[in-house]
Amino acid sequence: MLVLSGTLVGSLKAFELRRDRDLMKSLVRLTELTAIYLSSDGLSARELFSRLAAHRELGELNFLKAFDCGGAATGICEALRTDTAYLDDDVKDKLITYFGEFGSTDLEGQLAKNRLLKAELSQALERSAERYDKYSRLYKILGFSCGVMLAVMLI
């Protein structure tokens, strides 16, 4: 039972790393889709966020559904502040700034901001993927080993 508990704790920690990596992948995909929709379809902010919220690949980004119908991104910013506690504060701040200023420039300015955000999120994705590759097996093995060690100590 102790071995199983240790293994479970290690697996949960590895799952957190995978979730973080997958979230960063979704955020990078968000910037890609935003650039496509802005440049090719010429959507308004409301139409853009409605389309993004309905996109299957972005299903885990629940904060997109908080876009308020008035056209301002205050709903998304508020949802980012409250609902995504598992995001790094640095990434969260960048997203809040991006959505808070969304639509305040012309199309070229918005696309430039989008490219900058994509570059920053891509770097965060690389760091997250490195952490996952480096530590996921370690956490699983460490959890199992601690469980075995506790079981042996109690015998």
Side-chain angles (χ1 to χ4, degrees):
M1 189 68 161
L2 289 173
V3 175
L4 211 62
S5 298
T7 303
L8 180 64
V9 169
S11 295
L12 286 174
K13 189 64 178 168
F15 174 76
E16 287 177 18
L17 291 174
R18 190 179 85 215
R19 182 198 61 203
D20 291 346
R21 183 200 62 190
D22 293 346
L23 176 64
M24 294 311 300
K25 283 182 184 178
S26 294
L27 289 171
V28 169
R29 184 66 179 145
L30 169 72
T31 60
E32 294 169 351
L33 290 171
T34 300
I36 290 168
Y37 292 155
L38 280 176
S39 59
S40 64
D41 294 344
L43 300 175
S44 69
R46 183 176 184 205
E47 294 167 331
L48 172 72
F49 288 114
S50 295
R51 189 178 287 185
L52 288 172
H55 203 282
R56 281 192 336 228
E57 290 180 74
L58 306 177
E60 66 187 47
L61 300 179
N62 293 327
F63 62 85
L64 286 174
K65 294 174 181 65
F67 181 73
D68 69 350
C69 296
T74 54
I76 290 178
C77 293
E78 193 57 39
L80 278 167
R81 286 186 188 95
T82 58
D83 293 344
T84 53
Y86 48 86
L87 273 177
D88 287 344
D89 286 338
D90 184 43
V91 172
K92 190 185 296 189
D93 289 342
K94 288 175 184 174
L95 288 170
I96 289 171
T97 301
Y98 175 77
F99 288 116
E101 297 173 353
F102 194 86
S104 63
T105 63
D106 63 347
L107 179 60
E108 289 305 314
Q110 193 62 52
L111 289 171
K113 287 181 178 185
N114 195 62
R115 284 190 296 273
L116 176 63
L117 180 65
K118 181 182 177 189
E120 292 170 342
L121 291 176
S122 294
Q123 290 175 349
L125 171 60
E126 288 176 20
R127 288 191 304 271
S128 181
E130 287 173 8
R131 274 194 311 268
Y132 176 75
D133 293 340
K134 187 175 183 178
Y135 294 115
S136 65
R137 288 188 63 206
L138 175 70
Y139 285 138
K140 290 176 186 176
I141 292 169
L142 193 61
F144 176 78
S145 300
C146 288
V148 168
M149 191 169 36
L150 276 172
V152 168
M153 287 176 21
L154 290 175
I155 292 181

